[in-house]
């Protein structure tokens, strides 16, 4: 049977921000690796958005060669410590593993959410945990691996053009790393004071320790990438300024960090937060370490989190760890929740209260303008909508009031609007995402884009996939232009 990754017990972990999943031991990893059938036509590779040679790295683990397993993964994935922790493998590589009880058609990379739950009691190889095991080698041995790869870079110096990357989330980091490996001089601009994007400010420490993100950033720096933080492109410098500074191409990876709200009465009350603000204050500004960090967060004791995705789950679980009671309010049922199944199970074990088929209609305030309660209506499921999920329909006269004093809205994020707004000629789609052609080139020649800024809120691995493909396209653009001139 599939080996499960050991975890901190639920009762203990809600008292701290340490990592929930503890990782495989050597013997557990090798035992799990032995389960892989080493298929002749490995469908798991097709299920991976960046095409990691999964059977090859698993075979190396089986042989006790953890370092070589990591190197195999790194051929395709610059951020394995991160992907081993947060990738939705259950919808991707693991979903199509032939060891699963139910055979699932190969439907790689995107829109696999329709498959959700099919493999809930899955017997497929625990690829995510094995990736994490291989990648964790680097946590202890970082300098050796980095030096080796830096040496590789020195061998490939034929491309010396300067490339700018805007945004240091997984799309920007991946593109920057791949271009640096090709020999380009890459400068990465980030508006926040630390690089990493959502990996730093959104995903909480207990799912993705920030030390790991910074280790991955150090690896990317070791490839020669220069990182300029506190630099808002579109404000500090325009895209035109970057070209004037001698950059030959620009990759825009500014993500989807614009919170969406419900548009119901009471959303301007005190103690109503977007999940983005709440998580940034806790994760990036370390509100949970107050007074060591002088940035507390003003929340009450009874928190309602509205939404059903990873962002909502993270917010509720952070609230629990701050010593609060957390209820997750979702208008559909558990089956339709877009959050990762593992994280839904974790949230349940930790004591998050789930209010399914419930839609908020009004946030009620007290005389001082603070949240006092949340008025909701009961829902039932109707016909499927465009997403394939059954549409929630309000049940007449079913209104009721939830006793809460803080509301966190986690119903989605839109693309960051600043750069398109101040960049003449940069075409956007109706939903505000940046328009790109099949080579990730925007409407401005030499300006490329990828990640959540072109897809809307998606996943780490799809952002990385875009960063990889864009790096190849930028290299081709640069070569074509050089040979033309
Ligand atoms: P981002 O990670 O958003 O990075 C964009 C960066 O650009 C940011 O650092 C931003 O500050 C910077 N920036 C923006 N504008 C400018 C500018 N003008 N100039 C300079 N810098 C700028 N995905 C998963 O696969 N698994 C998960 O478990 C998961 N959990 C999530 C939990 C939360 C709370 C959130 C918010 C998202 C989660 N996701 C998860 C989604 C995933 O993190 C994103 O899809 C991914 O980070 C997108 O990568 P990106 O590089 O496109 O953008």
């Amino acid at each position: 049977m599939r080996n499960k990754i050991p975890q901190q017990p639920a009762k203990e972990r809600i008292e701290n921000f340490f990592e929930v999943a503890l990782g495989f031991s050597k013997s557990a990893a090798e035992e799990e690796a032995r389960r892989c059938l080493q298929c002749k036509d490995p469908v798991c590779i097709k299920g991976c958005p960046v095409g990691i040679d999964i059977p090859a790295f698993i075979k190396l683990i089986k042989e006790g060669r953890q370092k070589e397993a990591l190197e195999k993964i790194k051929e395709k994935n610059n951020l394995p410590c991160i992907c081993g922790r947060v990738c939705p493998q259950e919808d991707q590589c693991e979903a199509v593993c032939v060891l699963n009880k139910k055979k699932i058609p190969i439907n790689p990379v995107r829109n696999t959410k329709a498959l959700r739950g099919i493999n809930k009691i899955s017997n497929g190889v625990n690829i995510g945990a094995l990736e994490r095991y291989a990648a964790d080698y680097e946590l202890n041995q970082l300098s050796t691996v980095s030096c080796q790869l830096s040496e590789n870079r020195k061998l490939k110096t034929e491309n010396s053009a300067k490339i700018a990357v805007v945004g240091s989330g997984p799309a920007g980091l991946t593109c920057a790393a791949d271009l640096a490996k090709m020999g380009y001089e890459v400068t990465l601009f980030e508006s926040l004071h630390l690089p990493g994007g959502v990996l730093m400010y959104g995903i909480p420490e207990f799912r993705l320790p920030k030390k790991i993100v910074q280790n991955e950033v150090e690896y990317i720096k070791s490839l020669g990438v220069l990182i300029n933080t506190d630099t808002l492109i579109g404000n500090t410098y325009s895209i035109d300024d970057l070209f004037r500074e001698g950059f030959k191409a620009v990759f825009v990876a500014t993500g989807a960090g614009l919170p969406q709200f419900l548009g119901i009465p009471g959303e301007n009350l005190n103690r109503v937060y977007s999940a983005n603000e709440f998580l940034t204050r806790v994760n990036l500004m370390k509100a949970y370490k107050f007074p060591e960090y002088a940035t507390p967060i003003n929340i009450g004791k009874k928190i309602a989190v509205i939404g059903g995705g990873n962002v909502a789950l993270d917010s509720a679980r952070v609230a629990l760890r701050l010593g609060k009671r957390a209820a997750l309010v979702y208008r559909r049922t558990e089956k339709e929740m877009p959050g990762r199944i593992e994280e839904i199970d974790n949230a349940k074990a930790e004591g998050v209260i789930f209010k399914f088929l419930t839609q908020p209609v009004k946030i009620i305030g007290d005389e001082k303008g603070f949240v006092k309660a949340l008025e909701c209506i009961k829902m039932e499921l109707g016909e499927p909508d465009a997403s394939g999920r059954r549409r929630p329909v309000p049940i007449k006269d079913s209104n009721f009031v939830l006793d809460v004093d803080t509301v966190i809205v986690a119903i989605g994020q839109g693309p960051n609007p600043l750069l398109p707004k101040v960049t003449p000629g940069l075409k956007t789609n109706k939903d505000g995402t940046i328009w790109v052609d099949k080579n990730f080139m925007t409407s401005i020649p030499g300006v490329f884009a990828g990640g959540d800024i072109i897809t809307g809120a998606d996943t780490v691995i799809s952002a990385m996939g875009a960063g990889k493909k864009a790096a190849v396209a930028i290299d081709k653009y640069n070569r074509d232009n050089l040979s033309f001139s």
Side-chain angles (χ1 to χ4, degrees), residues 86-88 166-172 189-192 194 196-199 201-204 207 231-234 253-257 276 279 310-311 314 340 343 413 416 418-419 450-453 457-463:
V86 301
C87 258
V166 184
S168 65
F189 297 96
E190 167 57 51
S191 56
L192 294 172
L194 287 173
V198 169
L199 308 176
Y201 77 76
I203 303 180
R207 277 214 295 135
T231 312
L232 183 65
I233 301 300
T254 47
N276 238 24
L279 290 171
N310 289 320
V311 184
D314 283 346
R340 292 191 62 197
E343 304 307 348
Q413 299 93 236
N416 281 331
L418 177 97
L419 200 56
D452 280 6
I453 189 64
D458 204 343
T459 59
V460 171
I461 195 78
S462 65

Side-chain angles (χ1 to χ4, degrees), residues 35-55:
R35 296 184 61 237
C36 174
L37 299 178
Q38 296 290 317
C39 303
K40 282 215 170 72
D41 177 20
V43 281
C44 52
I45 300 181
K46 294 176 192 152
C48 171
V50 294
I52 295 173
D53 189 343
I54 293 166

